[in-house]
Amino acid sequence: MPQIELAGKIYEVDEDGFLQELDKWNEEFAQAYAHTEDIEGPLTEEHWKIINYLRDYFAKFGIAPMVRKVCKDNGIDMKKLYELFPTGPAKGACKLAGLSKPTGCV
Amino acid sequence: MANSETPLLDELEKGKWPSFVKDLKQAAGKNPMARDLIHQLELSYKDRIGHWKHGGIVGVKGYGSGVIGRYSDRPDLFPNVQAFHTMRVNHPTGWFYKTDTLRKLCDIWDKHGSGLTNMHGSTGDAILLGTTTDHLQSCYDDLSNAGFDLGGSGSALRTPSACVGPARCEWACIDSLDLCYNLTMTYQDQMHRPMFPYKFKIKISACANDCVAAIARSDLSVIGTWKDDIQVDQKEVLAYASSINIQKEVCDLCPTRCMEWNGKELKIYDEDCTRCMHCINLMPKALRPGKERGASILVGGKAPIVRGALLSWVIVPFIKLEPPYDELKNLIERIQDWWDENAKSRERLGELIQRLGMRVFLKAVDLPAVPQMVKAPRTNPYVFFWPEDLKKEVK
Ligand code: SF4
Ligand code: SF4
């Protein structure tokens, strides 16, 4: 299992870099990891809103929400979502939020 | 004979037809990824189980689709395919390439990946098989500089595809190439940034011969057709009489039996013709599609995955198709909105229509039920009544 070191702590991740031990997530993890998803500088309030939303949804339902739902519930469109997370909601946002990997279809 | 390392795969080299095993072996001569791929596949055949892990999320900047992550579950045995991601490249409409374009594509793939390609995947894309995560962005950059773009994957609009249509084919009733290109450009966002409950495929065939198998494979199929009468040249019909049995091969096999042949003249009752192309295919010199041309729109086709296969069915019997295709785009967007709003995760359009009913679908996308909307020809018109319609009748 690959490991990464962020802000002085070691985390286990899978080959795509998704956090394996979900309870190890913390805000420093998200911040220190952000640059690998092409986000420059500190995470903004808008980023946190999405990250917290994803975490809440995941805690409640055990899966990541559909993208349309993310946009609707947060009052943003796809363009904005990609502006915030240039590598996309599934890869970028879920990874920073410490969700287990969404099972994508080919 | 020396013992082969791949006895099971070798079976697939026998016979006189092309063999992907032969191709793989050839590629293995120059690329270690291809070498490990063969051996992993042999092991998969032996163990009767695929040795790819399920899923993988990788991508390039700004895109939520176009790259599919793949990892071996035996990287200990096959280190060169530990990561073996697929890139989907939007094909040129109608699959017309110049040879130097193909060379360019292959050169880029030799530089960044296994060199193996699948031309083309069932969606239509040029599929580049096998690269590592650290090559993705640079490969994409090279592709992009050479004028290529990625296609759709995941829960997105998949790359639209079309038959060669008017470029090569006399039967084309619509400009399938132009329409395909136009839709592809219009819906870039839907392709590159997955936002739907599941995949959505659009395929366009310029006549009912349906060379891209749109009806069997796409959520929205556009099939070229005509509205007026088949054009008949009786002299040419007569000429065919000496080479084929017109009664048996043409008239008797017409699905609606709407033709009569008296040995001298062919009579077509066009009001009963379903525009299936059978007679035209058999006597191309004598018969041609009518002059008033457009397309039928069908929805709901899909291959089996969760539930069984569906063929798409007609919802618009005839629509004129001319740029900028606003009427069609408008309809596509109404359909997608309804699907997006109502579907469960991973539910295709056809499955949703089956679950909620054609009546609800037609009302939601604002299409009137007409007799030509048929599931089986001439038997099953989509005429439904709402409770309020029944009340009206009673008065
Ligand atoms: S679908 Fe019809 S128009 Fe298109 S290539 Fe085939 S025969 Fe020709
Ligand atoms: S197109 Fe098909 S249905 Fe129409 S006349 Fe020819 S064979 Fe019959």
Side-chain angles (χ1 to χ4, degrees), chain A residues 15-16 18 38 66-68 72 78-79 82 86-91 95 101-106, chain B residues 53-54 56-59 61-62 64 68 70-71 88 154 158 193-195 197-198 340-341 345-346:
Chain A
E15 56 273 87
D16 288 329
F18 281 79
D38 292 319
M66 292 208 277
V67 182
R68 182 183 169 87
K72 232 174 150 179
M78 286 292 275
K79 206 166 144 261
Y82 274 81
T87 55
K91 180 171 178 286
K95 194 187 284 185
K101 183 157 65 187
T103 46
C105 134
V106 286
Chain B
K53 286 190 192 172
H54 181 74
I57 294 214
V58 286
K61 197 172 169 176
I68 297 136
R70 233 4 137 242
Y71 297 97
R88 291 198 181 151
R158 300 302 181 83
R193 298 173 175 181
M195 55 168 113
Y198 202 15
D340 213 357
E341 195 61 49
S345 174
R346 303 237 171 151

Side-chain angles (χ1 to χ4, degrees), chain B residues 226 230 250 253-259 268-270 272-280 287:
Chain B
W226 63 95
I230 293 179
V250 183
L253 294 178
C254 164
T256 59
R257 300 280 193 282
C258 67
M259 289 191 283
I268 302 178
Y269 297 90
D270 286 273
D272 284 329
C273 164
T274 51
R275 280 89 180 142
C276 79
M277 291 295 293
H278 168 70
C279 58
I280 299 175
L287 306 177

Side-chain angles (χ1 to χ4, degrees), chain B residues 171-174 204-209 222-226 275 277 293-296 318 321:
Chain B
W171 289 325
C173 294
I174 50 170
I204 304 156
S205 284
C207 84
N209 283 329
V222 179
I223 307 289
T225 190
W226 63 95
R275 280 89 180 142
M277 291 295 293
R293 299 178 181 187
S296 300
F318 188 85
L321 284 180

Side-chain angles (χ1 to χ4, degrees), chain A residues 2-62:
Chain A
Q3 293 183 329
I4 48 160
E5 191 182 330
L6 293 168
K9 280 196 203 138
I10 306 272
Y11 299 90
E12 306 246 303
V13 294
D14 74 359
E15 56 273 87
D16 288 329
F18 281 79
L19 190 63
Q20 289 303 94
E21 307 148 295
L22 304 185
D23 52 333
K24 293 261 170 79
W25 185 89
N26 57 64
E27 298 194 349
E28 293 79 60
F29 166 87
Q31 180 58 65
Y33 214 8
H35 72 97
T36 66
E37 298 305 313
D38 292 319
I39 298 168
E40 311 282 334
L43 293 168
T44 64
E45 209 173 297
E46 287 175 307
H47 288 111
W48 286 115
K49 191 173 159 204
I50 303 290
I51 290 174
N52 290 327
Y53 167 83
L54 288 172
R55 290 190 57 78
D56 286 348
Y57 191 98
F58 190 78
K60 241 190 240 158
F61 302 105

Side-chain angles (χ1 to χ4, degrees), chain A residues 66-69 71 78-79 82 89, chain B residues 153-157 187-198 336 339-340:
Chain A
M66 292 208 277
V67 182
R68 182 183 169 87
K69 200 154 169 43
C71 291
M78 286 292 275
K79 206 166 144 261
Y82 274 81
Chain B
S153 68
S155 296
L157 175 70
Y187 295 128
Q188 284 290 299
D189 230 35
Q190 300 192 351
M191 269 172 59
H192 299 313
R193 298 173 175 181
M195 55 168 113
F196 292 141
Y198 202 15
Q336 286 175 341
W339 171 57
D340 213 357

